[in-house]
Amino acid sequence: MLGRLAAQRLNEIRTAIRRTTQASRSFSTALNYHIDTPDNRPDLPWEFNNANKEKVKEILSFYPSNYKQSAVIPLLDLAQQQNGGWLPVSAMNAVAKVIEVAPIRVYEVATFYTMFNRTKVGKYHLLVCGTTPCMIRGSRGIEEAILKHLGVKRNEVTKDGLFSVGEMECMGCCVNAPMMTVADYSNGSEGYAYNYYEDLTPKKAVEIVEAFRKGEKPPRGTQNPGRVNCGPEGGNTTLLGEPKAPPCRDLDAAE
Amino acid sequence: MGLGLLASRALRSSRIIRNSTRTIVSTPELKNADAAAAAAAADAPSDLPKRNPVGGARVHIPNPDDVIEVFVDGYPVKIPKGMTVLQACEVAGVDIPRFCYHSRLSIAGNCRMCLVEVEKSPKSVASCAMPALPDFVLSSNSGLVLLVLVENQLKYSHCISAEKAVYMHQTHDLQGPRMKIKTDTPIAKKAREGVMEFLLMNHPLDCPICDQGGECDLQDQSMAFGSDRGRFTEMKRSVVDKNLGPLVKTVMTRCIQCTRCVRFASEVAGVEDLGMLGRGSGEEIGTYVEKLMTSELSGNVIDICPVGALTSKPFAFKARNWELKGTESIDVTDAVGSNIRIDSRGPEVMRVVPRLNEGCPSFRADLKLDLTSTLPDINEEWISDKTRFFYDGLKRQRLNDPMIRGADGRFQAVSWRDALAIVAEVMHQIKPEEIIGVAGKLSDAESMMALKDLLNKMGSNNIFCEGNGMCPNADLRSGYIMNTSISGLEKADTFLLVGTQPRVEAAMVNARIRKTVKATNAKVGYVGPAADFNYDHEHLGTDPQTLVEIAKGSHPFSSALKNAKNPVIIVGAGVFDRDDKDAVFAAVDTIAKNNNVVRPDWNGLNVLLLNAAQAAALDLGLVPESDKCIDSAKFVYLMGADDVNLDKLPDDAFVVYQGHHGDRGVYRANVILPASAFTEKEGIYENTEGCAQITLPAVPTVGDARDDWKIVRALSEVAGVGLPYDSLGAIRSRIKTVAPNLLEVDERQPATFSTSLRPEVSQKVSATPFTPAVENFYMTDAITRASKIMAQCSALLKK
């Protein structure tokens, strides 16, 4: 009796352990510490280019001169666009110098936000939405198709340096799920684009990737020809008339 | 707590009932139930058991108008405005559990352990970040509008609309009920238990192999407030350990992200190296790029870390904290005299930790304190890395037997009787004026007194303490101590540092200056060689000419000094060794006179000493008769003096070295007399601000060593000039006749007369630049030079 109970308990524990070890945890971010690589070392020089130096000035002008550090996110974004989609340590140091804070304060921000890439990405960084609505509508199949087509793993860059695939949390396009974003770093910060491709099918997604490979810029938005933006297929069925203004107190009169 | 509290609660509730019954019939102004309860509680304390504030916390209320009253578990507490709920609870005698809150650091409010219930608040509040409020008005409507009235100004949060809030402001009575804080209700207890469970989710339960075990806040608080089981069955996360240098060991998986170390590094130590990286469960403390923590205060993160994530590397796996015997003592590695606790096991010093020491516990940082406080306030609760980690030097290079150098140049161990006989014999053969005595930088007052008395009896008056220079001015006490006092530096608004680099000379004084600069944006002007500062400063020049310019008023910094309310001038003790020291001090005196630095209510003229023995030596009058006495000396008695320059000493001079370490002094010695180190004896040391403090023996002496004063006393006996004291008590009464202030232990004795009594100086300042007084922060005396850990640190420093 006791033996059976013990065996049963042991089995429970085993399954529990097995389950937990199998459940791999995916972190959306890369490592939270820096490892020197030939193209990512603190002693490599990095500077904003001349065009971007003007932009830096403009960004800084949005903030009071004693709160320069508020510009950290826009400046990191600019640096990332200029650097082909990722932030080497020396770029973060350059930003720290501009906003006059210790470098660690910039690293803190850059590691917190998942849209700052601290490892190399492709010229076209494909981010497939993995949140529930897109997942239900087949985002996993889309990611799988792209990965298979490009022959890479998630967060890996293709050999030609053109593509990398990542996962993203909800980007607010659930009505046109599944969707992916293409961050286009092929033309530096000038030609930077960040476009949504919605209503995807695995086939459609691969077609979009191929179009990018050919240097085309496929039209953004829904890929379902029957839909306009997020309207229903075949045109509107409700709300056909002119919308009424919402009921609202006349605030001027109230005063 | 327990029974007493329960009983009091029973009493209290019955009291309230009685009161409220009475109000119904007689007093119409008590119709308001809240006011009635408040009044009931206000006169209740007579039958409530008295609670004592946590850790002897005292409240100093500078302005009686700023007093507010809150209730903590029904007890009324009067506190000044601006205190947090947590501090109010401490005054009321309730210790709130906390991890991220630290009284000396900024408030982060991220651990959530200090949640308490506040009556009428929709949720439990983090007491460390919530200010205690005089009036607390809350809408009952939907529980979404929190209206807070402070000084008749409306402040609201979680508001549906500003319009509505203003409306409620107008309709509500301005005098709301007092804030009622409840710390032991089911809501508060459940909140703590929940937070504890979250904290333990990713915490490895490796207490048996953790060095923090036994003195771990997480361990203690999970025992006191946590649940007996967790529900977390997923994988725990793990974090890569960081390399922070030879002093701090990291086990980052244990980290609970309280950010105390991050705040300490940027706020107190002034090195912005540590940060919080990543997000969510991937969040970790680190430096991102590998970087050692280059601060002289880095060891303090070990103390403030509430878990075992940051522990002492040299102490790792050496001992459990409950095996250690703590001895409250004084640090002698610099002139600050930091209060330390020496933790020892058997004959071995295992570690050194700081002892909390501040004039007014707990709330000093928040409140203005009166100037008259004489309680020692030296190192707050920090100590420098040198103080914390030099202790392994106590086990190495020790002298444990009396030794005599033979004809072959080798030392031979002999008995005390033989060694003393030889010294006494030689001493008698030499002319009195050729005998000199040098007290080392670690000497206590008793031994210096004994040595001076011995030499005087032998007819010589050539005795001095190393570091004080060959012609020190011991006549005016205000001319060699820190008159402002270390805690007094916090009131300064302009600093002029002359030939001193406080960061390496006295790290704790530097921490105070930094604190002041951070808090009040005080200006710092610095005259001296290029140096490393961890606060904003202006480098005015490298030589004393700059001082003359400032004195004349032609230097741009003069106007800053002129406009300062509480200017402070700090002169480094390195100046004592300069030939033009009188002229430098004269220039400083002129600056002080021109800028009102010394007033009846403020004395901003300071000297920052370098060594623990210096102040007491000058108080006892250890001044050599001739400044060239070394050149003609035939007999030198080195009492732990290793840094005195003996190059000019004649070759045939007989040198006695009495000390505890085989350091520089031993190379030239003819006789070695082994003495005890400061961890092994009781001795009085006076720190740079003139506060006498006492060391206590923590471990037994090594080998055949004896206390310094006992050796000198025995030698006097053998030499036939017996000194008239046989006990510490007797030698202290002798000190009382020379420098009575040295016996006022733990009480700072300010100097009575200012330096205005100094004679006129005709000397002119030279153009020689000031030189750094301390070359290597980690190696300044015999003990630190013998320390392996200090050697590792200085190797990193040089890299």
Side-chain angles (χ1 to χ4, degrees), chain A residues 20 32 34 105 108 111-112, chain B residues 233 272 274 276 279 282 288:
Chain A
T20 52
N32 281 334
H34 166 79
R105 301 280 97 90
E108 281 179 325
T111 52
F112 184 86
Chain B
T233 53
E272 300 222 29
L274 289 175
M276 179 68 102
R279 69 190 301 175
Y288 196 64

Side-chain angles (χ1 to χ4, degrees), chain A residues 4-5 69 78 88 98 112 114 163 207 209 212 218 225 227 231:
Chain A
R4 208 176 64 222
L5 265 180
Q69 65 265 40
L78 189 65
V98 171
F112 184 86
T114 52
F163 294 101
E207 276 172 30
V209 170
F212 275 115
R227 294 181 72 177

Side-chain angles (χ1 to χ4, degrees), chain A residues 19-21 23 25 27 29 31-34 42 89 92 102 104-105 107-108 111-114 118 249 251, chain B residues 163 233-237 240 262 266 272-279 281-284 286-289:
Chain A
R19 196 182 64 228
T20 52
T21 44
R25 306 176 64 176
F27 292 110
T29 43
L31 290 177
N32 281 334
Y33 51 93
H34 166 79
V89 144
M92 294 189 244
I104 183 74
R105 301 280 97 90
Y107 306 149
E108 281 179 325
T111 52
F112 184 86
Y113 292 101
T114 52
R118 285 166 293 113
R249 274 187 304 152
L251 287 174
Chain B
E163 233 177 299
T233 53
E234 312 295 310
M235 282 286 280
K236 291 197 185 228
R237 64 159 201 170
V240 175
V262 177
S266 59
E272 300 222 29
D273 285 344
L274 289 175
M276 179 68 102
L277 302 166
R279 69 190 301 175
S281 59
E283 209 174 31
E284 59 186 84
T287 50
Y288 196 64
V289 287

